[in-house]
Amino acid sequence: MRILVTGGAGFIGSHLVDALMETGGEVRVLDDLSAGSLNNIRRWLEDERFEFVRGDMRDFETVKRAVEGVDVVFHLAANPEVRIGSQSPELLYETNVLITYNLLNAIRNSDVRYLIFTSSSTVYGDAQVIPTPENYGPLEPISVYGGAKLAAEALISGYAHTFDFKALIFRLANIIGERSNHGVIYDFINKLRRNSEELEILGDGRQRKSYLHVSDTVEGMLHIFEAFRRESKLVDFYNLGNDDWITVREIAEIVSEEMGLNPRFIFTGGVDGGRGWKGDVKFMRLDIEKAKKTGWRPRLSSREAVRRTVRELLKK
């Protein structure tokens, strides 16, 4: 199979590309490099099984050319910043919903058989059931980012049923690891590099969430995709996260410890009862029993994933 990875030069995308190339696949990457970097995929640029296309998915013709001759699409391209929704909702629409719409219109007139999409735990909003299963509802996102992801999910489901291709949707917890360039761990490290005496923590520090290392994420995606190919379902949903969770304060303590520092923690107090920002889901842990039934399970706990990520990022 020939595989297209949108956003393949980004954080999760580049790790997925590594795994696909290492298993002998033929991979094409479409990325505008707004969030990704060629350094993430440089090792493959001269490989005859690899092709890099620099392009903006808001342009339909670019997307249409990218899917030509492709059997499988892993759609990871997106603006990853949840917080930007309150400042620039139109940007989140363009870089999450519009690009997915363009991709679906390109796929419906192509030979693509499978679409795999990375959605987000944010589609659940402030879930009243924790851990939250895939069949939880009604889905009520509390951020524009979560709303954009849910809109993309709905479009994918509608197009798959109408135009007869199979779609697999992953709702991801907080994914962390080497090459990440945003998120709480990345922010804490940079803040402490600027000022080792104190660390600003958005919210009240009691936000508690599940974290999954990118190595476990990619392994889960590929393992479950193989199981999905044997299923009769046209569209299916899987949570990918961890069995445990960790507070923002505990993450701050791990980062400080790994950097050999003892800073004073300054909590901003946050908004809406201690959230880090408007739309921040304060408590999130996904039910991953469905994924585990396929034979996958995370190798690292949330705490282990956080510590490993801190060490990986400090090496950079």
Side-chain angles (χ1 to χ4, degrees):
M1 293 188 295
R2 185 161 180 79
I3 299 167
L4 170 67
V5 181
T6 73
F11 164 44
I12 303 174
S14 63
H15 285 280
L16 175 63
V17 167
D18 287 345
L20 292 170
M21 290 294 293
E22 286 165 1
T23 55
E26 292 185 37
V27 179
R28 177 183 297 157
V29 164
L30 174 61
D31 202 305
D32 65 1
L33 301 181
S34 59
S37 170
L38 272 182
N39 287 330
N40 291 339
I41 53 173
R42 191 168 299 281
R43 62 185 287 203
W44 307 116
L45 292 179
E46 302 302 320
D47 194 300
E48 63 181 10
R49 294 181 292 110
F50 181 80
E51 179 185 1
F52 174 70
V53 178
R54 182 169 184 174
D56 190 331
M57 291 186 68
R58 289 174 289 189
D59 177 63
F60 175 71
E61 291 302 320
T62 296
V63 180
K64 184 179 177 182
R65 288 192 296 271
V67 301
E68 289 178 359
V70 167
D71 304 296
V72 181
V73 177
F74 284 86
H75 180 34
L76 282 73
N79 189 313
E81 287 291 350
V82 178
R83 280 179 281 180
I84 201 173
S86 60
Q87 303 151 8
S88 182
E90 64 277 4
L91 181 60
L92 276 183
Y93 164 75
E94 291 177 4
T95 55
N96 286 274
V97 184
L98 177 61
I99 66 171
T100 303
Y101 173 73
N102 282 343
L103 177 62
L104 290 168
N105 277 320
I107 285 174
R108 71 180 179 130
N109 293 313
S110 73
D111 295 323
V112 172
R113 292 181 287 160
Y114 301 98
L115 170 63
I116 301 91
F117 175 59
T118 49
S119 186
S120 164
S121 63
T122 57
V123 301
Y124 294 115
D126 285 329
Q128 300 302 301
V129 176
I130 295 178
T132 312
E134 290 87 351
N135 61 1
Y136 173 83
L139 299 180
E140 186 180 347
I142 64 169
S143 64
V144 177
Y145 177 87
K149 284 293 189 182
L150 186 55
E153 285 189 12
L155 282 171
I156 289 169
S157 179
Y159 269 71
H161 282 281
T162 304
F163 299 107
D164 297 319
F165 60 88
K166 294 188 70 173
L168 175 61
I169 295 171
F170 289 109
R171 291 172 175 161
L172 304 181
N174 290 326
I175 310 304
I176 55 177
E178 186 179 5
R179 303 177 194 163
S180 59
N181 57 10
H182 73 284
V184 63
I185 299 173
Y186 181 85
D187 288 345
F188 282 172
I189 290 173
N190 286 331
K191 285 178 177 178
L192 287 172
R193 280 175 168 164
R194 291 193 296 267
N195 182 356
S196 62
E197 299 297 320
E198 61 182 36
L199 176 61
E200 179 193 60
I201 300 174
L202 302 180
D204 61 13
R206 292 194 289 269
Q207 305 98 305
R208 184 181 293 272
K209 305 181 186 185
S210 175
Y211 291 79
L212 187 67
H213 194 268
V214 67
S215 59
D216 280 329
T217 308
V218 169
E219 186 175 294
M221 289 173 63
L222 294 179
H223 178 87
I224 293 168
F225 173 52
E226 287 304 313
F228 174 69
R229 289 175 61 190
R230 297 189 295 270
E231 287 182 6
S232 59
K233 285 186 177 180
L234 205 60
V235 179
D236 209 352
F237 299 80
Y238 281 86
N239 288 335
L240 277 187
N242 231 312
D243 285 311
D244 63 345
W245 49 358
I246 186 172
T247 66
V248 171
R249 184 186 184 107
E250 289 173 311
I251 294 174
E253 291 169 350
I254 292 172
V255 173
S256 301
E257 179 186 332
E258 289 294 328
M259 295 181 73
L261 302 173
N262 187 28
R264 178 167 52 96
F265 292 165
I266 300 174
F267 298 95
T268 66
V271 298
D272 297 341
R275 304 175 193 270
W277 57 86
K278 193 78 171 175
D280 179 28
V281 176
K282 192 169 184 182
F283 302 109
M284 181 277 293
R285 182 158 64 96
L286 301 176
D287 186 325
I288 58 171
E289 289 307 308
K290 183 177 178 179
K292 287 163 68 175
K293 285 178 180 177
T294 69
W296 170 85
R297 64 181 57 243
R299 300 174 187 272
L300 300 175
S301 68
S302 289
R303 180 174 290 273
E304 291 168 337
V306 167
R307 191 173 295 278
R308 176 170 163 179
T309 297
V310 175
R311 292 175 179 176
E312 289 171 340
L313 296 184
L314 287 177
K315 288 181 182 179
K316 303 296 181 182

